[in-house]
């Protein structure tokens, strides 16, 4: 006796309403146990593995890989016959075969075709149905009276001839319906636009363009960036800093036993300097509550780290980063970065950030204008460290320098505060002793 249960897509956190099926780890006929991972899904926040809630045998997979499924929709049917209690039952019929006609059908009578289902956006490739338009056969034009010559001054006629524009096809806007230079120029511009459009259309038709479905993390991040860019007035300031002393301190720290097995990078000192600056200027670690018309100042720091994961940009955060020691911050940075790049960041890792740092220097970039993480007031971009000509005590020298970029929400942070925060971070990276003095 078979006894089926349907496992419905759960809300894995943050009130999400849908998810994409990334990969099934089971197939029909496989035996599964409670808590065995059966499917990998991608939400707007992260990639999550879902375990089986029952022991049994997989009867059917009710959703395909790549399919977007709403929360609460069944995704798999499991035969739990012989397992304890099954209060939530649902009969899952086996797929119909074509060996015998269904009741009410007669031999030879065609089966009604199932209603065609809409294809998901970006899922599957539709065979091209483009065909060449049949060539029109030329027909003898009817005799017409010769068209009147267009009115135009000689310079206008010369311009039209140079641009390949027929004056007879233009409706003049000058005195008495005469064609002007502006009329000719507009016609030439329209011709160029039509020519460019034809080239773009031709390239799309010949397969020189590719369309990539926007789903999961990428779709969420795109929406978040648009929302942030057009809701918070961004201001970005830049500061070039001599970090020679920080790089020397970095080399000494790497040799300490407390940092054994930990990758120590310049980002560690930049993160510590930002945390110290937040303690000196708490308003930089806040958010805007438009409904309540209030600024919410956070007296804790969940430090976001921008990570370029395979599936798109994510910003997991280190909870209570301001309470960590330098070795603890180093380990947390390494763990969070590795988890994010592997696509294993959880919704909890991605929620609740208060201020963010992004290391654009790892891509060989000096600076940028980073967009705020939604719900935050500031983001610091740390550029690449490189040898730079620098004046030291009136003498030209080669120093290690980098550029800091601080973007902030101008509703909350004015130029004076933003400059003070950036200058403090720069001062601490110029002389790491200030990190100890100011914390």
């Amino acid at each position: 006796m078979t006894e089926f249960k349907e496992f419905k897509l759960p809300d894995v956190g943050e009130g999400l309403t849908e998810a994409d099926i990334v990969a099934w780890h089971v197939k029909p006929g496989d035996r599964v146990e409670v808590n065995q991972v059966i499917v990998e899904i991608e939400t707007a926040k992260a990639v999550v593995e879902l375990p089986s809630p029952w022991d049994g045998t997989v009867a059917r997979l009710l959703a395909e890989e790549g399919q977007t499924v709403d929360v609460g929709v069944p995704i798999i049917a499991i035969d739990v016959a012989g397992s304890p209690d099954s209060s939530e039952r649902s009969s899952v019929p086996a797929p119909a075969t074509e060996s015998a006609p269904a009741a009410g059908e007669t031999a030879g009578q065609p089966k009604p075709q199932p209603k065609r289902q809409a294809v998901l956006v970006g899922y599957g490739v539709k065979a091209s149905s483009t065909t060449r338009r049949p060539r029109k056969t030329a027909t003898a034009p009817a005799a017409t009276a010769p068209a009147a010559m267009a009115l135009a001054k000689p310079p206008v006629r010369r311009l039209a001839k140079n641009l390949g524009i027929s004056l007879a096809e233009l409706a003049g806007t000058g005195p008495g319906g005469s064609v002007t230079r502006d009329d000719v120029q507009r016609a030439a511009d329209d011709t160029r636009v039509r020519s460019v459009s034809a080239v773009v259309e031709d390239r799309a038709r010949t397969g020189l363009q590719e369309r990539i479905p926007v789903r999961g993390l990428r779709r969420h991040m795109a929406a978040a960036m648009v929302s942030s860019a057009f809701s918070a007035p961004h201001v970005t300031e830049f500061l070039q800093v001599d970090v020679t002393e920080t790089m020397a301190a970095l080399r000494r720290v790497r040799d300490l036993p407390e940092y054994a097995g930990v990758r120590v990078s310049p980002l560690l000192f930049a993160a510590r300097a930002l945390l110290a600056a937040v303690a000196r200027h708490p308003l930089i670690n806040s958010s805007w509550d438009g409904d309540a018309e209030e600024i919410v100042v956070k007296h804790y720091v969940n430090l976001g780290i921008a990570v370029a994961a395979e599936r798109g940009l994510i910003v997991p955060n280190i909870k209570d980063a301001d309470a960590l020691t330098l070795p603890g911050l180093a380990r947390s940075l390494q763990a969070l970065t590795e988890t994010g790049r592997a696509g294993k960041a959880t919704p909890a890792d991605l929620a609740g950030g208060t201020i963010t740092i992004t290391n654009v220097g790892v891509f060989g970039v000096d600076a940028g204008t980073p967009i705020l993480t939604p719900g935050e007031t500031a983001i610091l971009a740390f550029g690449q460290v490189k040898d730079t000509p620098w004046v030291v005590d009136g003498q030209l020298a080669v120093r290690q320098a980098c550029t800091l970029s601080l973007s902030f929400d101008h509703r909350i942070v004015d130029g004076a505060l933003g400059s003070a925060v950036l200058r403090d971070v720069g001062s601490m990276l110029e002389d790491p002793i200030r990190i100890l003095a100011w914390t």
Side-chain angles (χ1 to χ4, degrees):
M1 176 182 178
T2 58
E3 191 174 324
F4 295 103
K5 282 188 177 182
E6 289 181 349
F7 178 41
K8 299 176 181 178
L9 180 67
D11 178 0
V12 294
E14 296 293 307
L16 300 171
T17 60
E18 64 182 18
D20 297 336
I21 304 297
V22 175
W24 282 105
H25 293 187
V26 295
K27 61 183 181 300
D30 286 354
R31 288 287 302 171
V32 293
E33 299 176 350
V34 172
N35 293 330
Q36 176 183 336
V37 173
I38 56 175
V39 65
E40 191 175 332
I41 65 170
E42 182 179 6
T43 70
K45 296 287 188 179
V47 175
V48 180
E49 294 178 338
L50 297 182
S52 172
W54 311 294
D55 292 328
T57 302
V58 177
R60 290 179 63 193
L61 303 182
L62 305 179
E64 299 177 355
E65 292 182 357
Q67 183 176 340
T68 301
V69 181
D70 292 333
V71 169
V73 172
I75 59 174
I76 187 173
I78 297 177
D79 181 0
V80 295
S83 63
D85 188 78
S86 59
S87 57
E88 185 183 346
R89 302 184 185 180
S90 91
S91 177
V92 182
T97 63
E98 299 181 0
S99 58
E105 293 182 358
T106 58
Q109 181 178 351
K111 294 183 180 179
Q113 295 297 319
K115 185 178 179 181
R116 187 175 183 269
Q117 299 295 322
V119 179
L120 288 174
V121 175
Y123 183 74
V125 180
K126 181 179 179 181
S128 174
S129 59
T130 305
T131 56
R132 184 178 295 276
R133 183 177 298 171
R135 188 186 301 273
K136 294 182 178 179
T137 56
T139 57
T144 58
M149 180 178 291
L151 297 177
K153 295 179 180 180
V156 176
R157 293 183 181 281
R158 187 161 50 251
L159 175 64
K161 181 179 179 181
N162 292 338
L163 295 178
I165 301 300
S166 172
L167 291 176
E169 298 177 357
L170 302 184
T173 60
S178 62
V179 178
T180 66
R181 291 182 64 89
D182 289 342
D183 295 334
V184 174
Q185 197 62 58
R186 277 194 298 271
D189 292 343
D190 290 344
T191 300
R192 281 193 289 268
V193 170
R194 287 194 296 271
S195 177
V196 171
S197 299
V199 171
V200 171
E201 182 179 354
D202 182 64
R203 288 184 174 181
R205 188 165 50 243
T206 55
L208 295 178
Q209 295 180 357
E210 178 185 5
R211 290 182 176 269
I212 300 175
V214 180
R215 294 180 179 143
L217 291 176
R218 191 177 297 275
R219 179 175 58 190
H220 171 72
M221 185 53 61
M225 291 297 97
V226 170
S227 173
S228 176
F230 291 98
S231 63
H234 284 54
V235 172
T236 304
E237 293 186 340
F238 303 90
L239 180 66
Q240 195 170 26
V241 180
D242 178 0
V243 295
T244 304
E245 297 301 322
T246 288
M247 297 304 291
L250 185 67
R251 289 189 290 271
R252 294 176 63 185
V253 164
R254 285 172 176 165
D255 294 334
L256 297 176
E258 291 84 357
Y259 297 87
V262 180
R263 184 179 181 276
V264 180
S265 71
L267 184 65
L268 172 63
F269 281 77
R272 175 55 75 188
L274 179 60
L275 292 171
V278 167
R280 289 166 61 84
H281 309 281
L283 193 59
I284 200 72
N285 187 55
S286 61
S287 62
W288 179 270
D289 188 341
D291 294 335
E293 296 185 343
E294 295 175 339
I295 295 172
V296 183
V297 181
K298 317 290 177 61
H299 295 293
Y300 59 92
V301 183
N302 291 343
L303 181 62
I305 308 296
V307 177
E310 182 180 351
R311 299 180 184 277
L313 175 68
I314 60 173
V315 188
N317 61 81
I318 301 172
K319 302 294 190 288
D320 298 317
D322 53 322
L324 296 175
T325 62
L326 194 63
L329 183 61
R331 291 188 179 86
S332 296
L333 276 171
Q334 179 173 320
L336 201 66
T337 302
E338 291 176 351
T339 300
R341 287 175 179 165
K344 300 298 183 181
T346 66
D349 292 332
L350 300 167
T354 62
I355 193 169
T356 296
I357 186 169
T358 176
N359 186 6
V360 298
V362 297
F363 304 112
V365 173
D366 292 332
T369 54
I371 296 177
L372 298 172
T373 302
E376 298 180 11
T377 292
I379 178 171
L380 177 71
F382 183 76
Q384 68 170 329
V385 177
K386 61 182 182 180
D387 290 341
T388 306
W390 205 270
V391 176
V392 181
D393 298 329
Q395 300 294 320
L396 187 62
V398 176
R399 305 286 285 181
Q400 290 182 288
C402 77
T403 300
L404 303 176
S405 313
L406 181 70
S407 291
F408 51 85
D409 186 340
H410 215 355
R411 295 174 299 182
I412 301 174
V413 179
D414 58 21
L417 176 57
S419 299
V421 171
L422 186 58
R423 181 64 258 174
D424 279 1
V425 174
S427 296
M428 285 181 273
L429 292 178
E430 286 178 347
D431 184 3
I433 294 298
R434 289 193 177 98
I435 297 178
L436 298 177
W438 291 352
T439 55

